[in-house]
Amino acid sequence: MTKKKPPAARRRPPKRALPTRSMLAAMAALAREARERAHAPYSRFKVGAALKTRTGEIVTGCNIENASYGLSMCAERVAVFKAVSEGLDDFDVIAVVADSKRITPPCGPCRQILWEYCGDVLVHMTDLRGRSRTMRLGELLPMPFDGGHL
């Protein structure tokens, strides 16, 4: 009988080198391109994301709004769901790009989804003026809820 892999949030990522500044810049550029495809007619707040696996595959997402606001999807969740639907896992970095006065972190629901599917990944946040900040998801979501609590 094969042993089932624990959810991403409970797996410890293998020790690997942190992404280089050039890798983070390349991911931010892909997130910026994805942002241009955002459908945000209500908020006019376009966001793009690029999610990378440890093997180098990158999946992008953009926010997609709906007149019933609760049915809207954030760029980060679109990227995660696209990646998972394609059979990808073992993520290490997500880049998020938005145009705002302050660096924009993922919202609460996105942090929860990222924790559940990606674990304690690096979150690289960039604005359109090139300012950026990189943090671990665990810093953005202290005391996360996951399958270990069930």
Side-chain angles (χ1 to χ4, degrees), residues 40-44 64-74 77:
Y42 307 105
S43 72
R44 307 251 188 271
I64 303 168
E65 293 180 351
N66 184 280
S68 172
Y69 297 125
L71 296 178
S72 296
M73 289 292 287
C74 297
R77 284 184 279 159

Side-chain angles (χ1 to χ4, degrees), residues 29-87:
L30 290 170
R32 184 184 288 242
E33 286 176 23
R35 181 187 167 278
E36 293 302 318
R37 295 186 293 275
H39 179 75
Y42 307 105
S43 72
R44 307 251 188 271
F45 187 71
K46 294 182 174 187
V47 181
L51 177 65
K52 185 177 94 47
T53 66
R54 291 185 193 283
T55 58
E57 292 135 315
I58 297 176
V59 178
T60 62
C62 62
N63 59 316
I64 303 168
E65 293 180 351
N66 184 280
S68 172
Y69 297 125
L71 296 178
S72 296
M73 289 292 287
C74 297
E76 299 91 330
R77 284 184 279 159
V78 169
V80 169
F81 295 156
K82 279 174 58 179
V84 170
S85 74
E86 294 300 319

Side-chain angles (χ1 to χ4, degrees), residues 8-142:
R10 292 197 332 236
R11 287 194 310 256
R12 286 186 179 223
K15 297 284 185 196
R16 303 208 184 188
L18 292 174
T20 62
R21 285 185 184 175
S22 61
M23 170 56 78
L24 293 175
M27 289 185 64
L30 290 170
R32 184 184 288 242
E33 286 176 23
R35 181 187 167 278
E36 293 302 318
R37 295 186 293 275
H39 179 75
Y42 307 105
S43 72
R44 307 251 188 271
F45 187 71
K46 294 182 174 187
V47 181
L51 177 65
K52 185 177 94 47
T53 66
R54 291 185 193 283
T55 58
E57 292 135 315
I58 297 176
V59 178
T60 62
C62 62
N63 59 316
I64 303 168
E65 293 180 351
N66 184 280
S68 172
Y69 297 125
L71 296 178
S72 296
M73 289 292 287
C74 297
E76 299 91 330
R77 284 184 279 159
V78 169
V80 169
F81 295 156
K82 279 174 58 179
V84 170
S85 74
E86 294 300 319
L88 299 175
D89 64 3
D90 200 20
F91 307 103
D92 62 350
V93 182
I94 186 163
V96 180
V97 174
D99 186 19
S100 60
K101 293 178 182 177
R102 298 185 298 170
I103 300 293
T104 304
C107 70
C110 286
R111 293 176 197 198
Q112 178 64 36
I113 292 295
L114 286 166
W115 185 265
E116 184 86 15
Y117 291 94
C118 305
D120 195 18
V121 296
L122 285 177
V123 180
H124 182 67
M125 302 158 281
T126 307
D127 67 15
L128 295 184
R129 289 169 288 294
R131 295 177 300 179
S132 66
R133 183 167 183 192
T134 304
M135 302 174 71
R136 284 248 163 237
L137 183 58
E139 295 175 86
L140 292 169
L141 184 66

